[in-house]
Amino acid sequence: AMEDVSAKFVSQKISRTRWRPLPPAALQPPDLFATGSWDNEDNRISIWSAGDLGNAGLNGEYHGEPHLLCDIQHNGDVMDMQFLDQERIVVASSTGTVTIFRHHQNNQTLSASHRWEKAHYHVDQDTSCGAAACTGVVCNNPEIVTVGEDGRINLFRADQKDAVRTIDNADSSTLHAVTFLRTTEILTVNSIGQLKIWDLRQQRNEPSQIFSLAGDRVPLHCVDRHPNQQHIVATGGQDGMLSIWDIRQGTMPVSLLNAHEAEMWEVHFHPSDPDHLFTCSEDGSLWHWDTSTNVSEKPSFLHQGGRSTAYLSHSTLNQSVVSAWLSNDPTKDRMEITNLIPNQTLSVNSLDVLGPCLVYGTDAEAIYVNRQLFA
């Protein structure tokens, strides 16, 4: 229910929210998250404690609100942000610069530990007006891949001063987001509705595969890969549709699902329970897509949410383990969709899920934490 959500007003428009990853064997829920802001005079990277679990009431409900541990000024809008490890966060700026910030836990401070100036630029790196926004970053420690408005892809290593590799004219349009498919392969989405796979072992600067939305050339803003089945990818874009792709077959999405009424800004599979997927939008909504098989027996955990049932298109796959996202068994095709924030009006720019916890940030200058997603 909504009372599981705690809000914090932060007097900045929040462009990114990210849980700090938990150590491999950790059993506790996530406790720290980072935010980045945009469209403010003074943008900031902030580290928050998710709140005090000691404040749990008699029924285990949670009362503490997030509190600020430390923050640091950031030059430009925060376009994207990823934790590299427990201590370091990689931040993509509208100025084209990519910065690694280190969170010092002993004295709760943030410092910039490394910076790649103008990693993205138009024309040439030396002209002052030539900066191009770095729109997306993805990490697989120590490797960092960035994409930008300039259609460029950079591969950095956290411990090296210069880019390991740059694909200069990777795309003639803006690249909006990037994800790792496996350690040597990345997937990018662009402003004309294309997905491209890049094999980083190949020296040639061409994608190994190109997929596209039929006809429409709708700009794609976000992408996420299924955590266990690397061939399943979800994307969202300007028209608010959710597209599910199977990169082993065809060049078009397996399913197109009507979703938001405006741009979809982020899509995330739940990292440990990928039958659940989350999307957020400019239209002020955040949707939880539940494809777990026993949906019909499950009580909705948000009664005032906009509940509806969608049907995935059928794809004929003959494999032993079929993901619910690609299922050709009609009983599995039922999906429950819940809007977790029914009355929000301003854009929900970012979300992140880890364990039972959801964090999201909005243009209403607030961050929200829900610690009981599956209660």
Side-chain angles (χ1 to χ4, degrees), residues 169-335:
N169 301 303
D171 213 299
S172 54
S173 58
T174 295
L175 291 169
H176 280 142
V178 58
T179 189
F180 274 101
L181 289 177
R182 40 182 71 83
T183 50
T184 55
E185 262 186 339
I186 56 166
L187 183 142
T188 57
V189 297
N190 70 12
S191 60
I192 56 169
Q194 294 173 320
L195 278 67
K196 295 183 183 179
I197 296 179
W198 306 82
D199 185 337
L200 297 173
R201 291 166 303 189
Q202 301 286 334
Q203 277 317 301
R204 59 197 191 93
N205 293 340
E206 314 278 291
S208 53
Q209 267 177 291
I210 300 180
F211 303 82
S212 55
L213 292 166
D216 298 342
R217 293 167 89 83
V218 174
L220 291 171
H221 293 305
C222 54
V223 59
D224 196 27
R225 189 205 78 202
H226 190 289
N228 320 332
Q229 302 194 39
Q230 289 161 326
H231 53 276
I232 301 174
V233 170
T235 62
Q238 189 173 294
D239 58 2
M241 298 279 280
L242 173 65
S243 307
I244 306 291
W245 309 71
D246 180 348
I247 58 173
R248 298 167 309 180
Q249 48 168 339
T251 55
M252 284 163 58
V254 180
S255 13
L256 283 168
L257 298 159
N258 273 315
H260 301 279
E261 284 160 35
E263 289 94 337
M264 184 191 295
W265 292 131
E266 291 205 323
V267 56
H268 290 291
F269 285 101
H270 191 286
S272 53
D273 197 352
D275 284 350
H276 298 267
L277 178 133
F278 298 82
T279 58
C280 63
S281 168
E282 178 75 25
D283 68 10
S285 61
L286 191 160
W287 285 17
H288 173 193
W289 305 69
D290 180 357
T291 64
S292 54
T293 45
N294 56 350
V295 160
S296 50
E297 299 129 48
K298 217 180 212 172
S300 164
F301 55 81
L302 186 74
H303 300 292
Q304 70 268 49
R307 288 183 56 192
S308 63
T309 301
Y311 290 89
L312 285 175
S313 61
H314 304 301
S315 58
T316 48
L317 291 181
N318 306 317
Q319 81 227 57
S320 49
V321 180
V322 177
S323 160
W325 293 106
L326 304 179
S327 164
N328 58 357
D329 164 0
T331 57
K332 282 209 187 112
D333 276 0
R334 189 173 275 130
M335 226 185 332

Side-chain angles (χ1 to χ4, degrees), residues 2 283-287 302-306 339-348 360 362 364 368:
M2 289 301 276
D283 68 10
S285 61
L286 191 160
W287 285 17
L302 186 74
H303 300 292
Q304 70 268 49
N339 179 8
L340 296 183
I341 34 177
N343 307 317
Q344 160 78 9
T345 51
L346 294 176
S347 178
V348 183
Y360 59 94
T362 72
Y368 299 85

Side-chain angles (χ1 to χ4, degrees), residues 80-94:
D80 200 9
M81 185 164 75
Q82 292 281 319
F83 274 90
L84 181 66
D85 54 28
Q86 297 277 302
E87 262 121 50
R88 291 178 295 174
I89 310 161
V90 183
V91 181
S93 171
S94 58

